Amino acid sequence: MQTLPTIWFVLIAVLWTGYLFLEGFDLGVGMLMKLFARNNTERRVLLNTVGPVWDGNEVWLITAGGAMFAAFPLWYASLFSALYIPLVFVLLGLIFRAVAFEYRGKVNTEQWRNRWDWAIALGSFVSAFGIGAALALTTTGLPLNANGDRVGGPFAWFSWYAVLGGFAVVGFSLVHAAAFLALKTDGDIRDRTQRLVTRWLPVGLLPLVVWVVLVTYRHGQVFSWLLVAVAAVAAVAAWRLARQGREGWSFLGLGVFLLTGSAALFGSVFPVVLPSTLNHDWDLTVSNASSSPYTLGLMSIVACVGIPLVLAYQGWTYWVFRKRVSSSHLPPTHDVLPAVGRV
């Protein structure tokens, strides 16, 4: 087994896990704009908890996709071309969501805000569901021929595995967001999100648990089942800690659950990066889907310099904005004056 392709497979798995951890609560907060918040003040509190970090969190998605493109071009080409339609909706969801973050407060009317609130909520849901479906199919397979091309029509990717993965990421994002809001807010929102975590954590995590167990059952080794056991313990610990009001430790427990569950998924399918459901002889692996050793070596040098800088910058950002947010911190809503005066 080649060393550099294996290292980059692990790094890409880490990047996707980091994206799900950071963008998970980010997308969940977006969905809770309509599912949880009762009025405009509460929605403003929710937006302010992720306001300083949401765009930085999305860098992980770009980095994960870019790393797949550079390190495993055949993996990237087969997966992204087969999922062209759902990934277009993911991009549209992210675009509408980003625009809504910026435009929501530009006009001080309920109708205006309501439209952008729906853009945030639906954009977050579509993005979370699409990313979950893509990652699920990465571990369960697509109808690929010997050239790595999709066999079938534009919806050949659609299966119950894709639906399971979509709801797995959506469910985790909602629970993760509730734990994040319990950690980052104060007052009534904090109390209600604590109750939300304790009540809905088992339901929200169930699709992800089913996904992990199915893949581990089909492909896993002993170490994969050990990781699944650690993930189960972390989920139970997160639930119990949330009931005790220990928000920080509960949030960390969900992170351990995601990390070990993701490690079980990627570790179970290794060295396959994208299985073929038509013939396993046509599976894409870390060996036959990777770039040249020179490309991987050059990328490794760049990653050794760039990744620590990104981690340090993001860590500093979270430290600066570590304080809780409440309605008392928000200025009154007001009309935004136009930059150019009307004649």
Side-chain angles (χ1 to χ4, degrees):
M1 189 64 64
Q2 300 178 23
T3 302
L4 281 177
T6 301
I7 291 174
W8 274 95
F9 175 81
V10 173
L11 181 57
I12 289 171
V14 170
L15 290 172
W16 279 115
T17 305
Y19 172 75
L20 292 177
F21 179 78
L22 295 174
E23 187 78 344
F25 68 77
D26 193 333
L27 295 172
V29 168
M31 287 183 275
L32 290 176
M33 289 279 290
K34 279 298 183 181
L35 295 174
F36 173 80
R38 295 172 174 172
N39 51 52
N40 180 50
T41 300
E42 291 190 352
R43 293 186 182 96
R44 292 178 65 200
V45 171
L46 264 60
L47 283 178
N48 276 269
T49 61
V50 297
V53 297
W54 69 268
D55 46 355
N57 294 341
E58 291 185 355
V59 171
W60 288 75
L61 175 62
I62 300 171
T63 307
M68 288 176 62
F69 171 77
F72 299 98
L74 294 181
W75 180 13
Y76 175 92
S78 297
L79 180 66
F80 280 59
S81 61
L83 301 179
Y84 187 83
I85 291 178
L87 290 180
V88 166
F89 281 99
V90 168
L91 291 176
L92 290 175
L94 292 173
I95 291 170
F96 274 100
R97 183 171 173 270
V99 172
F101 275 130
E102 302 297 333
Y103 275 58
R104 182 185 185 276
K106 299 303 182 183
V107 177
N108 187 21
T109 66
E110 191 63 31
Q111 186 180 34
W112 173 270
R113 288 191 293 263
N114 185 58
R115 291 173 179 172
W116 293 115
D117 289 342
W118 277 111
I120 293 172
L122 293 177
S124 299
F125 173 79
V126 170
S127 301
F129 190 92
I131 293 296
L135 292 178
L137 294 172
T138 297
T139 58
T140 58
L142 286 166
L144 304 177
N145 61 20
N147 294 322
D149 299 326
R150 181 199 68 212
V151 175
F155 293 97
W157 56 271
F158 188 78
S159 67
W160 79 273
Y161 287 115
V163 176
L164 176 64
F167 280 116
V169 173
V170 168
F172 174 80
S173 297
L174 289 171
V175 173
H176 199 39
F180 173 77
L181 291 173
L183 179 64
K184 282 290 294 179
T185 61
D186 214 344
D188 181 60
I189 295 179
R190 177 183 180 183
D191 297 334
R192 285 163 50 211
T193 49
Q194 281 183 349
R195 294 194 296 270
L196 188 65
V197 174
T198 57
R199 180 177 301 175
W200 291 103
L201 184 145
V203 177
L205 299 187
L206 181 60
L208 184 53
V209 171
V210 173
W211 173 17
V212 172
V213 170
L214 281 175
V215 173
T216 305
Y217 176 77
R218 291 173 60 184
H219 308 288
Q221 307 296 325
V222 174
F223 81 94
S224 301
W225 285 109
L226 291 175
L227 290 169
V228 171
V230 174
V233 172
V236 173
W239 178 74
R240 290 182 62 87
L241 290 166
R243 293 190 64 183
Q244 297 170 6
R246 303 172 69 179
E247 299 102 336
W249 287 106
S250 177
F251 184 76
L252 181 61
L254 286 172
V256 174
F257 165 79
L258 176 67
L259 176 62
T260 51
S262 177
L265 282 172
F266 284 99
S268 295
V269 298
F270 179 83
V272 176
V273 296
L274 185 60
S276 171
T277 57
L278 302 180
N279 189 331
H280 285 301
D281 291 336
W282 300 337
D283 290 348
L284 298 180
T285 67
V286 294
S287 298
N288 63 25
S290 65
S291 296
S292 67
Y294 176 81
T295 300
L296 295 178
L298 183 61
M299 288 173 57
S300 300
I301 296 173
V302 175
C304 288
V305 177
I307 290 179
L309 292 176
V310 172
L311 292 175
Y313 175 77
Q314 271 207 296
W316 176 79
T317 303
Y318 276 93
W319 175 256
V320 169
F321 296 100
R322 66 188 183 278
K323 299 294 182 66
R324 293 182 180 271
V325 180
S326 69
S327 58
S328 61
H329 299 142
L330 304 179
T333 56
H334 59 279
D335 292 319
V336 177
L337 296 177
V340 180
R342 297 175 181 174
V343 179

